[in-house]
Amino acid sequence: MAATTILKLDGLSKNFGAFQALRNICLEIIEGEFLTIVGPSGSGKTTLIRLLVGMDQPTEGEIRLRGTRIESTPANKRPTCMVFQSLALFPHRTVGQNIEFPLKIRGEPPARRKERACELLELLRLPLEYYGKRIAQCSGGEQQRVALARALAFDPEILFFDEPLSALDYRLRKALEKELKDLHERTGKTFVYITHSLEEAMVMSDRIAIMNAGRFEQIATADQIYARPVSKFVAEFMGEVNLFDISGTDRRGIGSGSLGSKDNLDLGLAGDEVGTLMVRPEFVRRVEGKGSSDFWVRGQLRAEYLLGSRLHYEFDCDDGTTLTVEKLREDRFRCAPGDEFLLGWDLANSHVIRSRG
């Protein structure tokens, strides 16, 4: 079955006086997908979500829902719903009353409201006896589920999420990430999720849109963005990374003084092109000598950090740069600070980022 576009953004911009918060945003959201918009503070995520739910209007551009323009349609007239970071539940009302609130506003009879609330409790894996429990008596995770149930009671075409897990502790947040992904699969709804957390985006999303300075840097699957970033910003935003300047004018394409390589490697750069060679820390290994890998660099161990099942190493290179390496605990280096290593990796585990003109 062909993918259907449910929401299309075309040339979307938003200005606040002389400041341009969003710049020519173009995006097609596929019906039924889980799309996460992620970026650092100030990148434009909150401004964008306010436009998508109808809390603000764009300065320029169009928002089309199933082909119909809605950028001027008020939030309460749109078939969409928002789950806020604060959840915005009524603390002194019962769980059932909170879930039923949108149905009551719509004029549904009491029996139908209760029936739907109980269906949603079951969907969100909350016991039916929670129907009469007050929100103030619920834990943070339970309140999160109630907020989701209330959002689903609207039966929206799209659910928007504005960093709903950011206030929760780490263990609960990780559990709810999996539950949200599972809920998405069970409901078949379109989810658009805003977060600054790369981990949340990687765990839950079908696609990730990386924002920077009011525009999208890259929109792709998590694997594609991690392995093939289109810019140094995306490469660094998607986790630890090693970057080296390269140039097509050198016969090997290498421009960094600390980096060696085999001759005649095809880095895909023309003679006048410059770019960046990227390798993730997990692909760097200890090598016995030059030529036993496609690339190599000599480094002196500065520090070792234990990250649960993994170990993170930082090496000082001859030119003053830092090389990071990650290993599983069972593959840890047997070394001490100050030890010198020859470290290497292969072209197949590298990626070339072309400089933008």
Side-chain angles (χ1 to χ4, degrees), residues 115-301:
E115 179 186 9
R116 181 58 177 152
C118 289
E119 290 173 358
L120 290 167
L121 284 173
E122 186 175 0
L123 180 67
L124 271 297
R125 295 172 178 165
L126 285 169
L128 289 180
E129 54 264 31
Y130 272 54
Y131 178 86
K133 190 173 184 177
R134 292 197 176 276
I135 287 296
Q137 298 173 314
C138 295
S139 69
E142 290 166 349
Q143 290 184 25
Q144 187 69 61
R145 292 179 180 90
V146 175
L148 287 168
R150 187 179 65 179
L152 289 168
F154 281 94
D155 195 24
E157 295 202 44
I158 305 175
L159 268 79
F160 294 102
F161 300 84
D162 185 16
E163 305 203 44
L165 307 184
S166 61
L168 302 176
D169 65 70
Y170 179 80
R171 187 171 180 178
L172 180 55
R173 190 167 68 247
K174 300 309 292 180
L176 286 174
E177 285 173 9
K178 296 173 184 176
E179 288 192 21
L180 269 174
K181 181 63 176 173
D182 180 54
L183 179 66
H184 171 256
E185 292 174 354
R186 285 186 283 129
T187 61
K189 296 285 186 182
T190 304
F191 283 16
V192 178
Y193 195 95
I194 300 288
T195 184
H196 66 274
S197 169
L198 182 60
E199 270 191 71
E200 286 182 18
M202 296 280 280
V203 168
M204 297 187 292
S205 314
D206 296 318
R207 287 192 300 160
I208 298 173
I210 305 286
M211 285 200 80
N212 179 32
R215 63 185 179 87
F216 288 131
E217 288 268 337
Q218 187 171 0
I219 304 170
T221 65
D223 282 345
Q224 289 171 330
I225 291 177
Y226 185 78
R228 301 253 182 269
V230 298
S231 67
K232 291 174 72 172
F233 171 83
V234 174
E236 292 173 327
F237 189 79
M238 289 295 286
E240 293 285 348
V241 68
N242 298 297
L243 301 172
F244 299 89
D245 294 331
I246 56 175
S247 168
T249 56
D250 189 294
R251 66 189 180 90
R252 295 176 303 167
I254 302 303
S256 174
S258 66
L259 183 66
S261 76
K262 290 181 178 178
D263 290 342
N264 303 315
L265 292 177
D266 183 9
L267 302 182
L269 293 177
D272 58 348
E273 275 192 292
V274 294
T276 303
L277 180 74
M278 181 198 90
V279 60
R280 294 288 180 189
E282 62 267 27
F283 294 118
V284 181
R285 64 185 188 272
R286 187 177 184 178
V287 294
E288 296 304 319
K290 297 177 180 179
S292 56
S293 59
D294 291 332
F295 301 96
W296 57 85
V297 63
R298 186 168 297 280
Q300 186 178 74
L301 180 64

Side-chain angles (χ1 to χ4, degrees), residues 42-58:
S43 60
K45 304 187 304 296
T46 299
T47 300
L48 178 58
I49 200 76
R50 289 178 65 88
L51 299 185
L52 295 182
V53 301
M55 297 171 71
D56 286 328
Q57 293 188 19

Side-chain angles (χ1 to χ4, degrees), residues 4-8 31 64-69 157 190:
T4 302
T5 298
I6 187 171
L7 194 68
K8 183 176 181 180
E31 185 168 11
R64 291 183 178 270
L65 179 66
R66 300 192 187 280
T68 301
R69 291 184 63 172
E157 295 202 44
T190 304

